[in-house]
Amino acid sequence: MEPTYKRLVQLYDEVTQSTLSKQVKDASSKYAGGIMDASGIPRPNHGGTPSFMACWACALVNSDSRYYHDPELLAAFELAADFMLNRQHADGTVSLGSTNFNSPPDTGFVVGGVTQMYRLLLGHGWADSEPAAGKLRLFLERTIPAMLTGGCHTPNHRWVLTAALSLLYEIFKLPELAARAEEWLAEGLDITEDGEWTERSNGIYNAVSDIALYHTGRVLNRPELLEAVRRNLRMMVYLVHPSGEIVTDYSGRQDFGHSYDLATYFLSYRFMAAHDRDPLFAAMADSAGSRIRGPEGVNNNALMQLLLYPEETNIDGLERAPLPDRYVQVINGSHPVREHLEAAHSVGHHMQIRHSSMHPAFGAPLVRIRDRETSATVMARTPSFFSLRHGGVRLLGVKLSTSFSPGVVKFEELEAREHGYTLSVTMEKGYTGPIPRSLLPEGRERMSPWYLLPHQHRPSTHVQTHRLTAELTPGASEWTLRVVSDEREDVLTQLTFILGPEGELAGEGLEPVGEGRYMLKHGTARYASGGHALELAPGCCEHFVTEVREDSHPAGCRYVHMNWVTPFDKTVTIRLL
């Protein structure tokens, strides 16, 4: 029995056992049949009751499960199907619960999994499960109007909706479902040549887009969509730390700075390894599969899709390539970020979009450096421009803040040099004059609210600039950081090192300036964790401001600050011990 499959059968049996006791059995409750999640409330979203139902469905039809054809589990499953029908809104949608009410995209996530759950039960040919399968089909049928008309919030939602439409088309054969999917696909895929999606979300939404587009391409016979999946999966090979933690230091979504692993990529790597007979993807699938600790969202349930698509996920006999652990990989080095941003001004949306974000950092360059147990990332257009893992030591980020803008500096350019990397930015700040009289609104003599004035017509005055560069140079056992300002005087500047909370921090020059925050006034700071350490030096405190305006330091990390005043040319060493 294949190790990943064996693990998943055992794991999902354990999930089934633990979640059966969390089902609401009170028939008078509006949550009757639902399975409580961590919130204590059963929810019909993709991470709630449907995700547990997927585990139950796997157990019911899999002869390797101890719950195979279990009548008690089947009765519980049918009650859960009733819950899904009862919590479905009249328009066919479900609500996420934490936000997103009557949500087409969140319904799309659920459809992406329930279609597969339905086909798994139906294909098993077990007469006892037919009533439950019928209820799943009714739920899906009710979603069709919302899937045909519903919109999205985010870039990845488009591909969630195309997958839902495609998977519904696979069952119901309605041509309008495929046509609506093609409407979304007509917008074009938002992925760089090097494989980065708009949201830059390595921890969450890359995997969402990958699995959605795999199934869309499969059902609609659009093999060109798989090339986008390939690109992202190739990129992700270089975005994993030695511990298995994914690089989330520059994400544009809620995984930013949080810990994630490859588990959600398992199916995408597995499908594409089998499709392409790719040894590297097969090795990544093995690594991702070893990190699955529980059920993912219902649209990305690992065991359900292994059972439903045995041929499409078969990588038996496929050799495995060694995963790289020594490399320097430039990502998006030639992507035309500046040209795209300049072109955005002519589109007409004025960089405003309802119910969503523009993600202007899409395609920004970054460099990944790996030398076995040491892993570093250099990043542009993000609050943190450098991060480092050295064994158990986690330097989560390095950021620069100034009183000029004010706030955190986002370096716009990243250039790879012969011996290192240079980041640079020229910030601009000015003032605005009076609006020309001919462009002023009528009625202003009585009262003229600020927000009713056409501010776009104000002329700029006294525009000032401030240029900063940061040079990062790797050595045998250290990184050298040189930060240089232009000649502008008296700009208060703060360099901050963000460290994991698990380590020990020491140094004579450290002075506490807040919860978990320290000023390194002079000398060296030493941070140790997991048998490894790093040293930061030299400390500096040229001004007494402990927190630059418009900067923030959330609880849960250690912060080491150095304070400088422009003009400066400062060099800091990060020694690895």
Side-chain angles (χ1 to χ4, degrees), residues 101-171:
F101 299 92
N102 292 69
S103 169
D106 289 290
T107 307
F109 275 107
V110 175
V111 167
V114 174
T115 48
Q116 298 176 64
M117 201 187 308
Y118 167 72
R119 291 181 58 220
L120 186 66
L121 289 179
L122 196 68
H124 186 54
W126 181 28
D128 290 359
S129 68
E130 289 178 3
K135 291 177 181 181
L136 296 183
R137 183 182 177 92
L138 176 58
F139 173 85
L140 293 171
E141 191 171 15
R142 288 178 177 180
T143 68
I144 290 174
M147 294 298 93
L148 289 174
T149 60
C152 67
H153 279 160
T154 64
N156 79 82
H157 281 173
R158 296 173 298 169
W159 317 136
V160 170
L161 288 165
T162 64
L165 289 157
S166 301
L167 291 164
L168 286 169
Y169 174 72
E170 193 171 28
I171 294 169

Side-chain angles (χ1 to χ4, degrees), residues 435-454:
I435 300 164
R437 186 179 295 272
S438 62
L439 299 174
L440 287 171
E442 295 182 5
R444 64 189 181 281
E445 295 85 358
R446 296 188 303 275
M447 181 172 60
S448 185
W450 176 259
Y451 53 75
L452 291 181
L453 293 173

Side-chain angles (χ1 to χ4, degrees), residues 487-551:
E487 293 303 309
R488 179 171 296 279
E489 295 185 347
D490 298 334
V491 177
L492 305 186
T493 307
Q494 186 172 80
L495 182 70
T496 300
F497 296 87
I498 308 168
L499 301 159
E502 65 278 355
E504 297 294 326
L505 182 63
E508 290 186 2
L510 287 171
E511 180 178 304
V513 294
E515 183 179 355
R517 297 175 52 220
Y518 303 85
M519 186 69 64
L520 183 60
K521 291 191 167 185
H522 58 82
T524 300
R526 187 177 191 273
Y527 177 79
S529 178
H532 292 80
L534 62 75
E535 288 183 346
L536 307 172
C540 185
C541 186
E542 295 179 346
H543 64 82
F544 299 152
V545 173
T546 59
E547 185 169 317
V548 175
R549 182 178 156 198
E550 303 297 328
D551 193 1

Side-chain angles (χ1 to χ4, degrees), residues 58-121:
C58 291
L60 286 168
V61 304
N62 185 8
S63 59
D64 292 320
S65 168
R66 68 176 184 264
Y67 290 97
Y68 180 62
H69 285 196
D70 184 284
E72 181 183 346
L73 180 59
L74 179 59
F77 184 92
E78 192 166 349
L79 284 176
D82 288 333
F83 166 81
M84 292 300 296
L85 290 169
N86 292 336
R87 300 307 295 165
Q88 190 173 26
H89 302 302
D91 62 4
T93 63
V94 298
S95 294
L96 179 60
S98 56
T99 183
N100 294 2
F101 299 92
N102 292 69
S103 169
D106 289 290
T107 307
F109 275 107
V110 175
V111 167
V114 174
T115 48
Q116 298 176 64
M117 201 187 308
Y118 167 72
R119 291 181 58 220
L120 186 66
L121 289 179

Side-chain angles (χ1 to χ4, degrees), residues 171-355:
I171 294 169
F172 295 98
K173 307 302 182 186
L174 298 173
E176 57 265 39
L177 290 165
R180 179 67 168 184
E182 294 289 354
E183 287 183 33
W184 288 112
L185 291 170
E187 295 189 4
L189 300 186
D190 54 313
I191 192 167
T192 69
E193 287 295 321
D194 287 344
E196 184 174 84
W197 295 106
T198 291
E199 292 156 281
R200 313 180 84 203
S201 174
N202 299 331
I204 303 176
Y205 293 109
N206 285 1
V208 167
S209 295
D210 290 348
I211 195 65
L213 285 169
Y214 173 82
H215 285 299
T216 302
R218 177 184 64 80
V219 175
L220 299 185
N221 193 26
R222 294 280 299 269
E224 68 274 17
L225 299 180
L226 302 187
E227 178 53 29
V229 181
R230 284 188 195 95
R231 283 190 216 167
N232 184 252
L233 295 182
R234 289 192 194 109
M235 183 188 80
M236 286 305 303
V237 171
Y238 302 101
L239 287 159
V240 184
H241 294 300
S243 64
E245 182 185 359
I246 284 175
V247 177
T248 60
D249 308 339
Y250 59 88
S251 174
R253 295 301 306 276
Q254 67 264 36
D255 54 323
F256 173 68
H258 292 281
S259 182
Y260 289 83
D261 59 32
L262 283 170
T264 56
Y265 289 86
F266 168 71
L267 283 172
S268 295
Y269 273 118
R270 185 73 174 243
F271 277 120
M272 293 306 299
H275 184 279
D276 293 351
R277 308 308 295 170
D278 188 313
L280 180 59
F281 285 178
M284 289 294 283
D286 292 345
S287 179
S290 72
R291 298 185 180 279
I292 297 174
R293 298 289 180 264
E296 305 296 343
V298 66
N299 58 306
N300 202 17
N301 182 286
L303 184 58
M304 184 165 68
Q305 297 195 41
L306 290 183
L307 294 172
L308 185 58
Y309 307 105
E311 295 302 319
E312 294 90 336
T313 58
N314 183 2
I315 56 175
D316 292 345
L318 180 58
E319 66 175 291
R320 270 50 166 183
L323 298 180
D325 63 0
R326 299 191 74 181
Y327 54 78
V328 175
Q329 185 77 6
V330 178
I331 297 173
N332 299 330
S334 59
H335 189 76
V337 182
R338 186 176 294 277
E339 290 89 334
H340 284 174
L341 289 174
E342 289 174 354
H345 294 295
S346 65
V347 174
H349 49 51
H350 305 293
M351 297 303 283
Q352 299 291 323
I353 183 172
R354 287 185 298 170
H355 317 306

